[in-house]
Every structure is written in structure tokens, then in C-alpha cells.
């Protein structure tokens, strides 16, 4: 099942550092062996609730294990400091849901679990 790596990056003020540009130039090659691809990369976000300072990056991979393996790979670890020296941020891995996902069924299961815990 498709899984996602989501980064909320907050670059430093000022011009983009050459190391960041090198990171961007090289990251795709590190993702390709694991089936990774960009879905969103630094697009302007429209904030409809709360605050969102910075940029969003959304990557898709075939599964969670592929993301973990990519992130730990020597090729990615080699370039990672090029970004982290210049951007603060948060990065998370999250599994997607399949086409059979049913939100009302999820709510019902959560309700049952909550009520059991309260009893």
C-alpha cells in the first residue's frame, strides 16, 4: 500500500544556499531505487486552519519499508546534511489507506473502543 513521507520545512531567511540546491539536484536519484516520487515539492500552500510557516514536501513510495530503507540508505544519508544544515523541519512517515477504506466504519470502531475503555 502506498506510503508517504511528509516534510514541513522552514528555511532560513535569505537566499537559498548552494548546498540546498545540490540536495535538490541529487535527491531524486536517491529515491528512484526505492520507487519514490515527488507529489508536492515546495508548492505554495493555502492555509485554511491554523498556521503553516514554511514549505511542504510530499513523497510517495510503494510502502513504509521502502521509505525507511530509502531514508537510511547511504546515498540519502550522504546528502541529508546539505538540507538539515540550512532548514529546520519535521519529517514523518505515514501509511496510506486503500480504496476499501471506510471512514464511518473507523468512527464506529473508535466509538466502541472508547466506550469499552470508559466502562
Amino acid at each position: 500500500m502506498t506510503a508517504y513521507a511528509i516534510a514541513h520545512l522552514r528555511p532560513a531567511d535569505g537566499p537559498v544556499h548552494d548546498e540546498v540546491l545540490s540536495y535538490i539536484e541529487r535527491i531524486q536519484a536517491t529515491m528512484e531505487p526505492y520507487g519514490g516520487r515527488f507529489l508536492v515539492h515546495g508548492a505554495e500552500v493555502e492555509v485554511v486552519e491554523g498556521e503553516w510557516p514554511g514549505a511542504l514536501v510530499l513523497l510517495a513510495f510503494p510502502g513504509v519499508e521502502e521509505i525507511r530503507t530509502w531514508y537510511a540508505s547511504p546515498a540519502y544519508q550522504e546528502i541529508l546534511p546539505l538540507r538539515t544544515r540550512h532548514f529546520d523541519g519535521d519529517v514523518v512517515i505515514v501509511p496510506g489507506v486503500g480504496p476499501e477504506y471506510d471512514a464511518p466504519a473507523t468512527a464506529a470502531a473508535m466509538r466502541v473502543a472508547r466506550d469499552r475503555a470508559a466502562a
Side-chain angles (χ1 to χ4, degrees):
M1 181 177 323
T2 303
Y4 304 93
I6 303 166
H8 178 201
L9 303 176
R10 294 171 295 284
D13 291 334
V16 177
H17 195 280
D18 281 339
E19 286 189 340
V20 173
L21 297 173
S22 179
Y23 171 87
I24 293 169
E25 291 168 343
R26 298 168 60 188
I27 187 173
Q28 184 65 44
T30 71
M31 294 166 45
E32 287 172 353
Y34 306 97
R37 63 189 177 93
F38 283 96
L39 297 181
V40 176
H41 191 203
E44 190 75 25
V45 298
E46 178 180 344
V47 179
V48 295
E49 291 185 32
E51 296 180 27
W52 191 275
L56 173 72
V57 178
L58 176 60
L59 309 176
F61 285 80
V64 168
E65 284 309 310
E66 288 86 348
I67 298 174
R68 289 180 181 145
T69 305
W70 160 72
Y71 191 88
S73 72
Y76 186 65
Q77 288 299 305
E78 179 182 324
I79 69 168
L80 181 58
L82 301 176
R83 174 180 58 79
T84 59
R85 281 195 285 263
H86 305 283
F87 286 14
D88 288 331
D90 306 296
V91 179
V92 297
I93 298 171
V94 60
V97 296
E100 73 287 347
Y101 178 75
D102 183 335
T106 299
M110 291 172 72
R111 183 172 283 113
V112 167
R114 179 202 62 198
D115 292 349
R116 281 190 186 144

